[in-house]
Amino acid sequence: MKNLTLFLLSVCFLMACTNTEKQTEKQKEMNRFIDSLMGQMTLEEKIGQLSQCSGEFATGPDNNPISRTEDISKGLIGSMLNVSGAEKTRRMQEAAMQSRLRIPLIFGLDVIHGFRTGFPIPLAEAASFDLDAIERSARCSAIEASASGLHWTFAPMVDISWDARWGRVMEGAGEDPYYGSLVAQARVRGLQGDDLSADNTILACVKHYAAYGAPMAGKDYNSVDMSMGHFANFYMPPYKAAMEAGAATFMSSFNDFNNQPATGNSFLLRHLLKKEWGFDGFVVSDWGSVQEMVAHRYARDEREAALKGITAGLDMEMVSECYRNNLAELVKEGTIDESLIDDAVRRILIKKYELGLFEDPFRYCDVEREKEIVNSQPLRDEARYVAERSIVLLKNEQNILPLSPSVKSVALIGPLAKSQKDMCGSWSCADQNKVITLFEAMQQRGLTINYSDGYDLKTDEITNLQHTLAQVRKSDVTIIAMGEEAWESGEMRSKADINIPAGQQKLVEEIVKTGKPVVVLMMCGRPVIFNTVREKAPAILCTWWLSSEAGPAICNVLWGDYNPSGKLPMTFPQHIGQIPLYYQYKSTGRPAGQDVWCTKYIDITDQPAYPFGYGLSYTRFDYDNVRVEKSDEKGVYAYVLVDITNSGNYDGEEVVQFYVRDEYASITRPVKELRGFEKIALKKGESRTVKFPVTDKQLGFYNNDMEYIVEPGEFTFMVGRNSQDVESVSFTL
Ligand code: GLC
């Protein structure tokens, strides 16, 4: 037996070496190809590879879509964004094949949550706490987008944010860096798969590097100012994790960081990302952010913007033309060395090579394949699967939910129940006409629907109240769809007030007075404030913006075909004045909760409406016997264990959460930080023990020199169903 084991081990070793040799051989072959190609390129052709132009529509200011065919055919453009479709991209690629060196274009688009088949907005997906579902969603995006001529998506957006006034929280994974890092990696894996040359994988783009989610006052594009220690512990981890997952590209952010625009920030780009972390992909600017260094008053003119961008390590310029118009002169006059250009060009050519574009520039432009894949049913099934798991049950008094199969008539209230556009949310590529709304899904269930608008989305005033109440009175149950329209969250959608308008909330109050069963669906792109609804409505689901399968997913949850399992990835405040509000706060020298001399407000509570990690189920999960067991496994200090029992009447899933508090450290540390979670499925009556490893990853932190360290001492481990409802146990390292 021993000889056989030795034999098998040696075979595996030889195979691994062969595989490595093959990889090395493939790399050598690629480098030979790129060295030869670059040796033929003129300076103008090299600079062409650093230029990206927008195609059919603008996702930023000052873009006038003009035909780029001539420039493409001269090799003066290396990439196009905002154009898709097998036929359209083929035509542009044909123009690129007319260029002297036939270097293919790379096509990018914001495929943020699904392509033509829309998936839940990323913040909603994050609420699933289901990394497999999140990866599957990204996989579907890649499959559908790559069938439509796309090679690259400007996703995942991994910006941590503690500020719900910032409209772009909808694009991310919420407030927690530990969870945000895992989500970032899942999305990179889903998009890129394990073979970039496959025709159903695309390049990921980690954005917006860096700390774009922390704009002053929650105003989009605003300045970011934080200590390096704060950046390292709370904002940096997802970028680093995504890079470690193999992300092919990064996007520099609009904001300044440590008093320098990220797009011209050598610390962020050349030092931290490329040197310290060893990132070998390329960095694209955000829309016009090279030129915007002039508006930042960090560059005197576009010439200096080009100089600062290329010097800092910014490889490709999106839309603005500072590189195109100035780099050649900067090289020729000796201000910059051509090697800076060569490094950027090489990084870009490597990704085009890895995509297989030199081998077959038209690999992704197959019209027949596009017809077969885009909007196909398997993608829709996946979209519904992920959407169901993204819904968060916030309240369920009188056990109104799940609705009984005997419910035959429904008063459906609110224009969002019929809005295909608003179900798609912001940054959507979905075919809006293929979105199944809540109204349609209820029709498909054969229900009698007594519909009423109830309120006017434009004026936010109640309309036809008596008609609405009449619909309510003659129905078995009332479902009220309320929240935000798609334009209210997303880029350049910062709000000073995230309260749901009073009119919508007042309507709920009036309907609840009828005494009929009422369920409120909160359809939103961010944490919103709805204190009246929170108090008066007996049942509330946060359904976010779920895109193409919104209606069926919501109905499946309402009627219990799927027992909601989502948890909030971001704290929901009670008052706008609480923002920024987050669970991993620090105790301060006068911790909240003590006597008058403590960290608090004199006019409002410091408690959230709903804490990070909060979400209910139709069943009940009991947590017992939280305990620590020392471990002698290498790298594992201990395990934290908890016994979970489904003591309710429904099978369900629970996100068991593990938080850590470092009781004493060389820097001030938060009162708790998420350091583990596990989503488990338990049948009613079933019990299971969940165990969390305690390693450096759970106990460590970045010191003020940005070194990751672990300090011996006392810790408190907390396990629970959300960031507030936890049971504690002590541990000493
Ligand atoms: C936008 C966004 C960025 C997007 C890019 C291209 O301004 O900031 O997230 O990827 O431009 O559309």
Side-chain angles (χ1 to χ4, degrees), residues 124 127 390-395 520-524 526-528 530 540-546 568 572:
S390 304
I391 293 170
V392 183
L393 177 60
L394 299 177
K395 188 176 179 184
V520 169
L521 306 179
M522 195 52 73
M523 299 173 162
C524 53
R526 68 170 92 203
V528 287
F530 48 99
I540 305 170
L541 287 162
C542 179
T543 65
W544 312 102
W545 290 323
L546 299 174
L568 297 177
F572 275 52

Side-chain angles (χ1 to χ4, degrees), residues 52 56 78-94 96 104-111 115-116 140-154 196 198-203 352 355-357 360-374:
Q52 179 183 58
E56 298 179 310
S79 173
M80 293 295 293
L81 78 150
N82 296 343
V83 61
S84 64
E87 191 47 46
K88 286 177 186 167
T89 54
R90 173 178 288 277
R91 281 205 304 273
M92 286 188 168
Q93 201 67 290
E94 283 165 352
L105 290 168
I106 180 171
F107 291 98
L109 184 73
D110 295 282
V111 184
F115 183 52
R116 295 295 175 236
C140 290
S141 291
I143 288 167
E144 202 172 34
S146 57
S148 290
L150 292 166
H151 310 131
W152 181 23
T153 176
F154 305 123
L196 285 178
D199 61 8
N200 62 3
T201 57
I202 57 178
L203 303 186
K352 292 185 175 182
L355 282 165
L357 291 175
D360 175 5
F362 303 102
R363 167 169 304 192
Y364 299 79
C365 315
D366 180 336
V367 173
E368 290 315 309
R369 184 164 166 270
E370 182 179 41
K371 284 178 192 155
E372 175 199 328
I373 288 173
V374 173

Side-chain angles (χ1 to χ4, degrees), residues 59 81 110 154 168 207-208 251 254 286-287 318 427 491:
T59 43
L81 78 150
D110 295 282
F154 305 123
R168 300 198 76 168
K207 71 182 188 182
H208 305 77
M251 180 183 290
F254 289 120
D286 203 336
W287 181 287
M318 180 187 285
W427 286 115
E491 184 175 359

Side-chain angles (χ1 to χ4, degrees), residues 31 212 255 422 474 476 485 563 625:
N31 288 331
Y212 179 43
N255 56 286
D422 293 313
K474 68 183 181 184
D476 297 335
E485 294 177 85
N563 181 356
N625 195 12

Side-chain angles (χ1 to χ4, degrees), residues 230-294:
H230 190 71
F231 170 65
N233 284 299
F234 297 105
Y235 287 83
M236 185 180 78
Y239 301 115
K240 189 169 189 287
M243 195 283 300
E244 288 165 349
T249 70
F250 266 63
M251 180 183 290
S252 66
S253 54
F254 289 120
N255 56 286
D256 62 345
F257 177 85
N258 203 18
N259 302 319
Q260 292 177 319
T263 301
N265 192 309
S266 296
F267 168 77
L268 285 178
L269 301 178
R270 211 169 278 290
H271 175 73
L272 188 60
L273 178 61
K274 293 182 175 179
K275 180 170 176 286
E276 291 290 304
W277 296 353
F279 176 63
D280 61 4
F282 70 84
V283 183
V284 64
S285 76
D286 203 336
W287 181 287
S289 64
V290 172
Q291 184 185 46
E292 289 179 6
M293 284 195 270
V294 178

